[in-house]
Amino acid sequence: MAGYTGAVRAMAERVQPVSSMDKRRSMGRYPRSPDWAGFGGRNNADAGQHHNQGPPARQRGKKRGYHEETGRSRGGLTTKVHAVTDGLGNPLRFLLSNGNRNDICMAKALLEPFDLNGKLILADKGYDGDKFVRWLEERGGIAVIPSRIIAKHPRKIDWHTYKERYLVENLFLKLKNNRRFPTRYEKKALYFRAVVCLACILGWLL
C-alpha cells in the first residue's frame, strides 16, 4: 500500500466539509454543496457528480462493438470465420469478419490469391450473386453454386458434384473440437486469428 499513499492524500485534500449536525442530530435543511439542484427547480445533469466524471479518456468516442472483428448478431457480439478448403477438406486460407456481415462480402478477398483457372468452386446459396459468379468465370473458375429461390433465372449445376461441399462443413466440425475456436476468449482479433491458425494446423496433422 505504500505506493498509493500520495494518491490517497491528494484525494483527501479535495473532500469538502459537510454542514455540522444540530442538536436534533439532523443535518440542517440542506447540505451545503455547490453541485446540489433543488427538487422543484431545473434538472441539472451535473448535480451530485464530481467534476470531469465520465468514462476513461481512452474509451471516449469509441464505438461499442464493430471493432476487433466483432459484430452484433442474434447471439450477441460474434465473429465469423470464412474458410476455403482443397478437394480433401484441408484448410487453405481463412479470414475473419464481423458476425453480422454476409458471407459473400468476403468471397473475393478469400479467393483472390488462388489460381481459379479450371477449378470447381463449391459454395452454398449464401454466395449466390451475379457479380461474384461473373468474377469467378472471368478468372476461369467453374461456379457450382445453387441459385436462391427468388432468382429469376436459376443456375443449372451438377448436384452430384455439389454434394462434395460437405467437406468444408466437416472442417468446421473438426475446428469446433478445440474449445477456444467456437468460444472466443481473446479480445484482440490478432490473438484469435492465431488460435484459428493453430486449430487449422491440427486439422492438417490429425
Side-chain angles (χ1 to χ4, degrees):
M1 296 296 292
Y4 295 92
T5 306
V8 175
R9 184 182 299 110
M11 186 180 299
E13 294 175 357
R14 296 192 182 94
V15 177
Q16 297 180 359
V18 181
S19 57
S20 59
M21 293 184 180
D22 56 8
K23 297 180 180 180
R24 293 175 297 178
R25 303 183 64 83
S26 62
M27 295 181 61
R29 186 175 182 182
Y30 301 119
R32 298 178 181 179
S33 174
D35 294 331
W36 177 83
F39 292 99
R42 69 184 186 275
N43 185 12
N44 188 359
D46 296 332
Q49 297 182 358
H50 297 285
H51 298 290
N52 298 329
Q53 183 175 358
R58 61 182 180 181
Q59 295 182 359
R60 295 174 184 173
K62 183 184 294 184
K63 296 182 179 179
R64 295 183 178 180
Y66 300 99
H67 63 285
E68 296 297 341
E69 306 299 347
T70 58
R72 188 166 298 279
S73 59
R74 289 182 297 179
L77 291 177
T78 57
T79 300
K80 185 173 290 186
V81 180
H82 308 262
V84 57
T85 65
D86 58 6
L88 299 177
N90 298 317
L92 298 179
R93 191 167 186 256
F94 71 90
L95 294 176
L96 303 180
S97 69
N98 301 339
N100 57 343
R101 294 196 66 180
N102 295 330
D103 295 339
I104 198 172
C105 295
M106 305 294 294
K108 292 184 179 180
L110 191 63
L111 297 175
E112 187 69 32
F114 299 101
D115 182 14
L116 304 180
N117 190 14
K119 301 295 180 60
L120 296 173
I121 309 300
L122 282 66
D124 57 9
K125 295 181 180 180
Y127 294 89
D128 178 28
D130 295 337
K131 294 182 179 179
F132 176 61
V133 174
R134 193 181 305 113
W135 179 79
L136 291 176
E137 294 175 350
E138 291 176 355
R139 301 193 59 181
I142 303 174
V144 187
I145 304 174
S147 302
R148 290 175 291 180
I149 300 177
I150 60 175
K152 296 182 179 179
H153 304 285
R155 189 180 306 104
K156 295 182 179 181
I157 64 171
D158 186 359
W159 290 99
H160 182 74
T161 304
Y162 179 74
K163 292 180 181 180
E164 298 297 325
R165 199 186 64 83
Y166 78 93
L167 293 172
V168 68
E169 301 295 343
N170 290 351
L171 170 65
F172 282 100
L173 290 178
K174 293 178 182 178
L175 295 178
K176 288 181 180 179
N177 291 332
N178 306 282
R179 185 177 180 183
R180 300 187 76 91
F181 178 81
T183 305
R184 174 178 171 177
Y185 296 99
E186 289 73 22
K187 179 179 179 181
K188 297 291 185 179
L190 179 63
Y191 302 152
F192 181 66
R193 188 177 291 107
V195 171
V196 180
C197 285
L198 292 175
C200 291
I201 292 174
L202 292 177
W204 272 92
L205 297 177
L206 301 179

